Amino acid sequence: MKIPTGELKNEDCRLKNAKSSPSRDNQSAIFNLQSAIGLSMATEPQIVTRRMVAVNPATGETLREFECAGDAEVAAAVEHARAAQPAWEASGVQQRIEVLRRFQRLLHARKEEVARLITREAGKPYVEALVNEVVVALDATRFCAEQAPELLLPEAVPHGNPIMKAKVGRLLRRAHGVVGIISPWNFPFSTPASEVVAALGMGNAVVLKPSEFTPLSALELKSLFTSAGLPDGVFQVVLGDGATGAALIASPIDKLVFTGSVSTGRRVAQACGARLLPVVLELGGKDPMLVLDDADVDVASSAAVWGAFVNAGQVCLSVERCYVHRSLHDRFVELCVEKTGKLKVGDGADPQTDIGPMIHERQLRIVEEQVNDAVSSGARVLAGGRRMPELGPNFYAPTVIEGVDHSMRIMREETFGPVLAIMAFDTEEEAISLANDSEFGLAASVWTRDRNHGEELATLIAAGTVLVNDAVIGFGISEAPHGGVKCSGIGRTHGKLGLEEMCWVQYLDSDRLPRMKKTWWYGYGPDFARQMEAFTDWLFAPSLFARVRGAVRSSASLWRRRL
Ligand code: NAD
């Protein structure tokens, strides 16, 4: 297998290169990939040289080791999914929804266990795992079960042109076939779950390649679907790193839904472009929060603190840039610092914990570098701004920083860590211009007591989602489409638009007069040209008289001789 070495962050991804076969001792610890993806391979298994380790980011404890799936295993999973898909689609939407509802019931019954697993693997506080992962997945399933049947009904396409009136047009939404899903680690359960549910509901089979940092959550998802009675092969999980993801893109999938960073997204887009594979790209964000001069400063500061620190700031929709009207700035900053001081950092498994660890050391280093860069250019750290090795390997203190500007990396690059960077503005024009001064365009928020004014300003911001008087939560609204503009991505997941992405549209048209040769067929000549001039007048002449005359004169075309 060719491994694009530049794409594998070996040290950080906890990937190990094993030049030889795993030792006997290790073999028992290594999860059998074939059983994970539900395959029985007739051919000799290929020698896989890369392994990955799931680690508890709070403690550094190894949870489990895995072999990365190679090209052959990815291809086999896709083939298996392709074989299973037609029957799944043919089973009908009601039958499919039955399976989704059984999945929902099982997930609900096992909510504590699943949330605890997510906390162990991704570090987030248990309550966040429960609400932002399990509940989001449950609700995405509810939404799909409610919406998919209607969306899959033929949609009438009435014809306005009188010459087309004998035809009946409809839009049919058809499953792509096999949808590949590549997902990140920050929402290791709800991100793939909501996409898998949508893809399955619309009649596709799915091959999921989860993040190499969070394989256990994906396997749990697969296990729940298996217990729910999803037919064998319809949903496969292939475990691995970037090279495994690349193999999935190179395999004969019919659509890809990718969620991850902008840099990987660019590579993914190129690979998809080369084979014209339709793709949804859910990429990074640098979301601005605009606090207008009439905002409730207590409410807005609480929102900023939660919006910047939830999941240790490792949220694509987190508040990464906070712009506050100068009249409120000092009080706002003071409140943010005070509220940050009350937050408890620790192991997410501890119910007292507000902020868990970051996922790995590399992510922590990015945050540290950006904070140091800002400080060296004159920014002031008012809270945090340091690692917390006393708690474990990956903890970074929630950080409030002011005196930042757009020359600093912290206001331009995605931070993806627990940092609240605050900057004052004087006019709303300036605030909008700062909000739009970014290569990202995922989401934004506007804070004001005047909702109408907030909505007006929202339309001036280039972002896929703008919330007035709330932040981050768009991902938790199953009805809301999720996705960005500019470098934040292409296409949408969630909501009806997310379901639409899981199918292709066929236009079906049938003519009610099968025994009639069409007016526009051969048999041209000067008379026909004049009749068509009259026809054009009938449709588009400015005066009523000319239109009526056109209708009468063009009607002769109905009786002309055709080839
Ligand atoms: P990442 O880009 O490093 O990895 C994402 C996934 O892509 C992983 O499964 C990885 O193994 C895979 N991958 C890596 N190289 C690949 C390649 N060449 N071909 C195919 N697949 C490849 O991102 P991450 O660090 O896992 O996640 C954090 C990023 O994801 C952040 O930038 C965050 O903003 C973004 N994100 C976006 C959304 C959204 O909905 N817009 C949601 C969550 C996270």
Side-chain angles (χ1 to χ4, degrees):
M1 168 198 266
K2 272 196 201 135
I3 303 169
T5 46
E7 294 164 20
L8 298 179
K9 309 156 202 151
N10 286 349
E11 175 200 350
D12 311 304
C13 295
R14 302 173 236 171
L15 286 173
K16 293 180 176 176
N17 285 326
K19 292 208 172 94
S20 56
S21 304
S23 70
R24 192 172 288 243
D25 287 345
N26 278 344
Q27 271 175 346
S28 59
I30 296 171
F31 189 73
N32 182 325
L33 190 73
Q34 281 179 220
S35 68
I37 61 176
L39 287 178
S40 62
M41 304 208 357
T43 51
E44 281 290 303
Q46 78 173 86
I47 297 165
V48 177
T49 55
R50 290 172 296 114
R51 294 158 63 202
M52 55 190 237
V53 188
V55 170
N56 180 335
T59 60
E61 170 206 0
T62 293
L63 300 174
R64 206 146 151 190
E65 287 193 39
F66 298 87
E67 293 183 351
C68 293
D71 294 4
E73 285 146 312
V74 172
V78 173
E79 201 181 311
H80 198 30
R82 172 146 333 275
Q85 188 272 334
W88 173 244
E89 186 178 8
S91 70
V93 68
Q94 291 306 339
Q95 182 70 29
R96 297 198 296 271
I97 283 171
E98 263 310 297
V99 177
L100 296 187
R101 288 211 189 278
R102 282 203 296 274
F103 158 76
Q104 192 187 37
R105 284 196 289 275
L106 283 169
L107 174 56
H108 174 254
R110 300 194 51 212
K111 56 186 182 301
E112 294 98 341
E113 209 178 322
V114 174
R116 272 196 293 273
L117 172 71
I118 296 167
T119 291
R120 226 173 16 255
E121 186 176 54
K124 60 185 66 187
Y126 169 79
V127 72
E128 287 184 14
L130 191 64
V131 176
N132 304 341
E133 301 265 10
V134 174
V135 174
V136 167
L138 287 170
D139 201 56
T141 311
R142 186 265 312 156
F143 176 78
C144 180
E146 284 173 7
Q147 297 295 324
E150 197 187 323
L151 204 61
L152 286 167
L153 289 176
E155 182 183 329
V157 181
H159 300 339
N161 184 337
I163 208 168
M164 301 296 171
K165 287 286 186 193
K167 296 175 171 302
V168 183
R170 274 148 298 164
L171 298 183
L172 305 181
R173 290 179 174 80
R174 308 270 306 271
H176 288 290
V178 180
V179 173
I181 295 177
I182 298 178
S183 55
W185 46 263
N186 62 332
F187 286 91
F189 192 82
S190 57
T191 293
S194 55
E195 293 163 1
V196 168
V197 160
L200 294 178
M202 299 307 273
N204 300 281
V206 174
V207 178
L208 165 67
K209 205 299 283 176
S211 169
E212 51 273 48
F213 298 106
T214 50
L216 299 176
S217 303
L219 291 178
E220 182 62 31
L221 182 65
K222 160 95 168 91
S223 151
L224 284 162
F225 269 111
T226 304
S227 306
L230 187 71
D232 183 45
V234 173
F235 173 30
Q236 313 269 318
V237 176
V238 288
L239 298 180
D241 50 20
T244 306
L248 182 59
I249 299 171
S251 76
I253 54 173
D254 302 296
K255 171 112 186 187
L256 179 73
V257 179
F258 171 83
T259 307
S261 61
V262 171
S263 59
T264 309
R266 283 187 211 281
R267 285 200 293 271
V268 165
Q270 279 167 4
C272 292
R275 50 162 298 205
L276 292 180
L277 177 68
V279 61
V280 173
L281 297 172
E282 294 283 8
L283 308 179
K286 190 77 194 165
D287 293 1
M289 169 176 185
L290 275 55
V291 183
L292 306 188
D293 59 359
D294 67 340
D296 183 316
V297 74
D298 177 39
V299 171
S301 57
S302 290
V305 167
W306 181 76
F309 301 149
V310 61
N311 197 21
Q314 303 167 119
V315 182
C316 55
L317 297 165
S318 67
V319 172
E320 292 238 344
R321 299 178 287 148
C322 189
Y323 304 104
V324 185
H325 191 269
R326 200 171 296 280
S327 64
L328 302 181
H329 177 267
D330 291 356
R331 178 69 185 136
F332 182 89
V333 169
E334 190 186 344
L335 283 171
C336 287
V337 172
E338 187 186 314
K339 290 171 185 180
T340 301
K342 293 182 177 157
L343 297 174
K344 183 170 182 312
V345 184
D347 189 328
D350 178 348
Q352 298 297 328
T353 293
D354 298 302
I355 302 178
M358 304 195 62
I359 192 76
H360 51 58
E361 211 272 333
R362 185 179 64 94
Q363 200 58 47
L364 206 134
R365 229 181 304 144
I366 293 170
V367 174
E368 199 169 51
E369 280 170 15
Q370 290 191 14
V371 169
N372 291 345
D373 170 74
V375 169
S376 69
S377 302
R380 288 171 302 284
V381 170
L382 305 177
R386 65 175 188 92
R387 291 180 185 227
M388 304 178 84
E390 65 278 18
L391 297 179
N394 298 314
F395 289 91
Y396 194 84
T399 299
V400 180
I401 185 165
E402 67 158 359
V404 293
D405 64 45
H406 278 214
S407 69
M408 300 172 183
R409 287 177 58 195
I410 207 148
M411 296 302 269
R412 307 212 70 86
E413 299 171 20
E414 190 178 45
T415 306
F416 226 57
V419 179
L420 174 58
I422 307 173
M423 184 173 165
F425 69 85
D426 291 300
T427 65
E428 287 179 0
E429 292 71 28
E430 185 192 356
I432 295 291
S433 154
L434 286 166
N436 287 331
D437 179 25
S438 172
E439 64 171 351
F440 298 96
L442 193 56
S445 64
V446 180
W447 295 81
T448 169
R449 285 188 164 92
D450 181 348
R451 273 184 48 219
N452 290 337
H453 184 54
E455 288 179 16
E456 269 167 34
L457 289 195
T459 64
L460 303 177
I461 300 174
T465 297
V466 185
L467 303 177
V468 177
N469 294 327
D470 209 341
V472 183
I473 202 66
F475 190 74
I477 304 170
S478 300
E479 288 71 17
H482 174 65
V485 294
K486 301 198 269 184
C487 289
S488 289
I490 298 170
R492 294 293 181 265
T493 55
H494 291 206
K496 273 194 189 169
L497 295 180
L499 291 177
E500 295 261 13
E501 294 279 9
M502 298 300 181
C503 45
W504 57 279
V505 173
Q506 180 173 59
Y507 174 65
L508 174 65
D509 199 299
S510 62
D511 200 284
R512 289 192 184 99
L513 303 172
R515 303 197 57 211
M516 184 181 159
K517 292 182 179 175
K518 309 305 170 216
T519 322
W520 49 88
W521 291 0
Y522 281 128
Y524 298 167
D527 287 350
F528 182 53
R530 275 192 296 282
Q531 286 156 6
M532 287 302 101
E533 285 164 7
F535 172 72
T536 312
D537 290 343
W538 175 22
L539 295 192
F540 301 110
S543 79
L544 178 64
F545 174 75
R547 288 206 296 279
V548 172
R549 189 180 56 193
V552 173
R553 288 186 179 168
S554 63
S555 62
S557 67
L558 290 173
W559 293 280
R560 82 187 166 88
R561 285 182 70 81
R562 281 154 245 176
L563 208 63

